[in-house]
Amino acid sequence: MQILLTAINAKYIHSNLAVYSLKASAGEYSSHVELAEFTINHRTEEILSEIYRKKPEVLLFSCYIWNIEQVKELVRECAKVLPETPIWLGGPEVSFCPLEILKEYTEVAGILTGEGEESFRLLAECYVRKTKRWKEIPGAVFRKSAMELKKSEKYRNEETQEDKDDIFSNNQGKPLDMDTLPFPYTGFIDFAHRIIYYESSRGCPFACSYCLSSIDKQVRFRDLKLVFRELQYFLDAKVLQVKFVDRTFNCSHSHAFAIWRYLLEHDNGVTNFHFEIAADLLNEEEMELMAQMRPGLIQLEVGVQSVNVKTIDAIHRRMDLEKVRANVERIHRMGNIHQHLDLIAGLPYEDYVSFAHSFDEVFAMKPEQLQLGFLKVLQGSPMYREAEQYGIVCKDKPPYEVLYTNWLSFSDILQLKAIEEMVEIYYNSHQFRHTLEKLLKTAPSPFYFFQQLADFYERKGLNGRNHSRLQRYEILLEFIREICSKEEDRYRELLTIDLYGREKVKSRPAFASDQSPYQTKIRQILSQTGKQKHVEALLTWGEMPVYLIFDYEARDPLTHDASITQWKEA
């Protein structure tokens, strides 16, 4: 018996935690389970061919918003070339609409809804032992044909009206005990160039209406002894990054503090750990602990989403904005932790002006990255049920992103999309840090600045092109000529600093100043500091040239910029 568990991941570097967990959870049946892992960049034909070559006796697909369309196509094609192979689906994209999926895709034998570890083990047992005890699988929704219409004496005697229907739907089981879940990465050796997902808890105490985690308000924690042992496994393997998928990692102070303290005490100098947190829940003890951490040991993602009080209330979110602001700014001053702050466009009561205000408020907190996201109306979420009352219209296909609302038109959404791209290119990349620092002071607000830049791209027909990194610098210089041409020479030097701050480029850009008159001095400085560095002579910083030294072996652990120091005569 070969059970093929198929994962189509969003990115190559991601390991699918759910899929590895399911394989591990099969226990004594794991020898019958084979994992086929692909990415969304694989062509459907490639995936189909690989599945066919494996000749599975049972085929399962893990379904998410990023792969569901491809999975649906594969279901139809796999059923043609492997007509005797039962196909099962699982995951969040099918858990909240199993009847609809089964009615539309007659090729699917059944769907495992909700938490999959235990239901998958029982499903594997049914196929390996040929017991067909489908009704004992919590959360399973399946056809009579999946049972091959061979009922045991027990079920024959207990036949109900439901049994006469085409599809059976089992009740969900009790929430799984986190300590019973197997560690999915044992024996996993391909850690290189991957982001590893890990969970130490499930559920969330909050009720944010756009989030599926709001459904499960009962937070369950994995025993810390297990967590420490598993984290040590990653530390010993020197994994580059481990992303905790806990919805609100610090909802329990004792749990979060214990894990952060363990990471501080066992830091291997390499691994970075990513956490999604509620910044307003951080307390003094946690702050003092984080201040001691190696730069880059942890990074924090903080979902602010909006600063509009009416919006926050409508999405059932609890947040003390003043505490968020104070804690984020305090962490920023520490200088050792990357912070990623999120906003969501398309929420109730948030119009264009209100969103601009939210943007400026969050930007003022100086996050290393500001993600301007767009509301996704996920099936099963409270927002899915509330969308109509707020006039929220979204795309029919995944990721079900908002098109317009009672407060934002589609035109507004398109404008925000353009601004999002400018933020990604010019702010989140950290490639224009010195230039932006000065440029932003010329604008009435950060949001207005990025709106200006987005409008410039639109006017110049620059959107939709694959610009090189150097071209992005040249485009920004062209924009600068429009808004503050009198200081063009200073901005040329700032752009040069930003460019060399990232790497020692081989070809000098056209916008950089001529350095030939200063080569004698530059060679002298390099002879004393090391030739692997770069020296730049700045001409607009005083009466005499100022020399900056770029050291690429001493990079900032958060931004990865080269260390930049000013040359001073001994």
Side-chain angles (χ1 to χ4, degrees):
M1 171 62 63
Q2 184 198 30
I3 302 172
L4 185 63
L5 186 56
T6 307
I8 304 174
N9 296 330
K11 295 180 181 179
Y12 178 74
I13 57 174
H14 289 180
S15 288
N16 192 314
L17 175 64
V19 172
Y20 282 103
S21 295
L22 290 179
K23 185 176 180 183
S25 72
E28 62 180 294
Y29 311 110
S30 60
S31 60
H32 298 275
V33 179
E34 183 176 349
L35 174 63
E37 191 172 18
F38 305 95
T39 79
I40 54 175
N41 294 323
H42 281 93
R43 292 183 300 113
T44 302
E45 291 78 5
E46 293 177 78
I47 300 174
L48 178 64
S49 299
E50 186 63 24
I51 291 174
Y52 178 78
R53 290 190 189 99
K54 292 180 182 293
K55 294 293 192 297
E57 294 170 79
V58 184
L59 177 61
L60 295 96
F61 288 96
S62 187
C63 304
Y64 300 88
I65 55 174
W66 63 76
N67 71 6
I68 185 62
E69 293 302 311
Q70 201 168 11
V71 167
K72 286 178 178 178
E73 182 181 356
L74 282 165
V75 163
R76 292 257 158 92
E77 304 310 327
C78 286
K80 294 174 185 175
V81 299
L82 296 167
E84 302 302 317
T85 302
I87 298 174
W88 285 74
L89 307 179
E93 266 306 289
V94 294
S95 283
F96 300 100
C97 54
L99 295 179
E100 291 88 337
I101 294 291
L102 288 175
K103 288 177 181 178
E104 183 178 357
Y105 292 86
T106 56
E107 302 87 349
V108 177
I111 292 172
L112 297 179
T113 67
E115 293 181 293
E117 287 89 353
E118 178 63 10
S119 56
F120 175 74
R121 184 188 68 79
L122 293 171
L123 181 68
E125 178 181 316
C126 285
Y127 277 109
V128 173
R129 293 187 173 179
K130 296 180 171 57
T131 59
K132 307 300 180 184
R133 302 181 70 85
W134 310 106
K135 287 191 175 181
E136 296 177 7
I137 304 176
V141 182
F142 55 93
R143 304 180 190 281
K144 282 185 179 181
S145 58
M147 299 174 68
E148 298 179 354
L149 300 180
K150 296 177 181 178
K151 297 181 181 179
S152 67
E153 189 67 28
K154 173 184 176 183
Y155 290 138
R156 192 177 295 116
N157 293 336
E158 296 178 359
E159 188 174 72
T160 64
Q161 179 60 44
E162 181 188 36
D163 295 322
K164 297 175 183 177
D165 297 331
D166 181 53
I167 296 173
F168 296 152
S169 183
N170 295 342
N171 293 327
Q172 292 287 343
K174 294 180 180 179
L176 298 178
D177 182 343
M178 290 292 289
D179 294 344
T180 66
L181 301 181
F183 180 57
Y185 296 108
T186 302
F188 190 83
I189 58 175
D190 186 18
F191 283 124
H193 310 301
R194 287 179 180 253
I195 295 174
I196 300 298
Y197 289 137
Y198 179 79
E199 61 179 342
S200 69
S201 68
R202 280 185 186 171
C204 182
F206 303 112
C208 303
S209 62
Y210 53 82
C211 181
L212 289 177
S213 295
S214 64
I215 300 170
D216 185 4
K217 297 180 179 62
Q218 180 184 352
V219 186
R220 291 159 283 152
F221 298 96
R222 195 161 173 82
D223 185 85
L224 286 171
K225 291 180 181 178
L226 289 174
V227 174
F228 294 158
R229 185 166 69 236
E230 291 159 1
L231 292 181
Q232 194 58 51
Y233 186 79
F234 298 136
L235 290 164
D236 291 343
K238 294 190 174 180
V239 174
L240 290 180
Q241 187 178 55
V242 176
K243 277 195 170 184
F244 276 66
V245 295
D246 304 45
R247 275 305 119 201
T248 305
F249 174 75
N250 63 326
C251 64
S252 165
H253 164 65
S254 59
H255 184 80
F257 184 80
I259 291 175
W260 282 337
R261 182 171 59 189
Y262 185 89
L263 296 180
L264 173 63
E265 294 172 351
H266 297 80
D267 181 15
N268 62 10
V270 174
T271 307
N272 165 262
F273 294 87
H274 177 101
F275 302 92
E276 294 184 27
I277 69 161
D280 51 333
L281 297 184
L282 292 171
N283 62 26
E284 185 63 28
E285 189 178 25
E286 291 165 338
M287 285 288 197
E288 291 177 357
L289 183 75
M290 287 191 288
Q292 303 172 47
M293 292 179 174
R294 162 181 63 86
L297 172 59
I298 71 170
Q299 63 186 53
L300 304 176
E301 182 170 351
V302 179
V304 180
Q305 319 313 9
S306 173
V307 304
N308 185 319
V309 175
K310 197 171 183 180
T311 298
I312 294 299
D313 183 61
I315 61 176
H316 317 299
R317 184 171 176 79
R318 299 203 307 268
M319 179 180 66
D320 186 328
L321 182 60
E322 290 310 309
K323 282 189 177 179
V324 170
R325 181 182 288 109
N327 288 339
V328 166
E329 290 179 351
R330 179 173 172 182
I331 292 171
H332 176 75
R333 291 194 301 272
M334 291 178 188
N336 63 336
I337 296 174
H338 172 108
Q339 293 186 99
H340 177 146
L341 271 56
D342 298 337
L343 286 171
I344 297 179
L347 295 173
Y349 303 107
E350 186 96 273
D351 60 17
Y352 191 84
V353 173
S354 171
F355 187 84
H357 176 65
S358 291
F359 182 97
D360 289 335
E361 288 289 304
V362 173
F363 194 89
M365 299 180 200
K366 301 179 180 179
E368 275 66 42
Q369 286 193 320
L370 194 165
Q371 180 174 318
L372 197 169
F374 294 82
L375 176 65
K376 296 173 178 60
V377 185
L378 304 175
Q379 292 191 56
S381 69
M383 184 60 73
Y384 183 80
R385 300 188 298 272
E386 298 168 0
E388 186 174 354
Q389 78 177 81
Y390 293 125
I392 296 174
V393 176
C394 67
K395 294 180 180 177
D396 288 336
K397 290 188 175 182
Y400 315 112
E401 200 168 82
V402 64
L403 291 171
Y404 59 87
T405 74
N406 284 344
W407 299 272
L408 280 177
S409 67
F410 184 52
S411 178
D412 292 333
I413 293 289
L414 292 178
Q415 180 69 46
L416 291 175
K417 286 276 187 181
I419 292 170
E420 175 203 20
E421 185 174 5
M422 296 300 99
V423 173
E424 283 296 314
I425 293 169
Y426 290 102
Y427 181 76
N428 289 344
S429 71
H430 293 279
Q431 295 178 8
F432 305 86
R433 186 161 57 90
H434 297 88
T435 307
L436 281 189
E437 187 176 340
K438 181 174 175 61
L439 263 179
L440 285 165
K441 294 175 182 178
T442 68
S445 73
F447 184 86
Y448 180 79
F449 168 78
F450 288 109
Q451 178 181 274
Q452 271 189 304
L453 190 53
D455 290 344
F456 176 81
Y457 263 70
E458 179 67 24
R459 282 190 289 105
K460 297 293 183 179
L462 297 169
N463 292 320
R465 299 185 191 178
N466 188 21
H467 300 288
S468 69
R469 182 177 160 221
L470 188 57
Q471 285 173 329
R472 297 290 188 188
Y473 284 86
E474 293 167 346
I475 291 169
L476 187 57
L477 179 60
E478 187 180 351
F479 172 72
I480 289 167
R481 290 193 187 105
E482 277 198 5
I483 64 171
C484 43
S485 59
K486 292 181 179 179
E487 294 190 87
E488 181 181 335
D489 289 342
R490 171 59 69 90
Y491 279 110
R492 283 175 178 272
E493 292 193 333
L494 289 171
L495 287 167
T496 304
I497 292 171
D498 283 326
L499 180 64
Y500 281 100
R502 302 299 288 185
E503 63 178 304
K504 189 178 181 181
V505 293
K506 295 180 180 179
S507 300
R508 191 164 177 81
F511 59 78
S513 61
D514 180 13
Q515 299 282 285
S516 55
Y518 315 101
Q519 284 303 311
T520 299
K521 185 64 175 180
I522 289 173
R523 283 194 291 269
Q524 175 195 341
I525 295 172
L526 287 173
S527 68
Q528 297 180 43
T529 60
K531 294 185 178 180
Q532 298 307 312
K533 299 177 175 62
H534 172 75
V535 176
E536 185 74 24
L538 304 180
L539 313 178
T540 66
W541 298 62
E543 295 182 2
M544 300 294 291
V546 171
Y547 295 90
L548 295 185
I549 304 169
F550 296 74
D551 187 346
Y552 301 101
E553 295 180 357
R555 291 184 178 272
D556 185 303
L558 298 186
T559 65
H560 303 293
D561 284 344
S563 169
I564 303 175
T565 56
Q566 183 175 332
W567 169 257
K568 294 183 179 179
E569 297 289 348

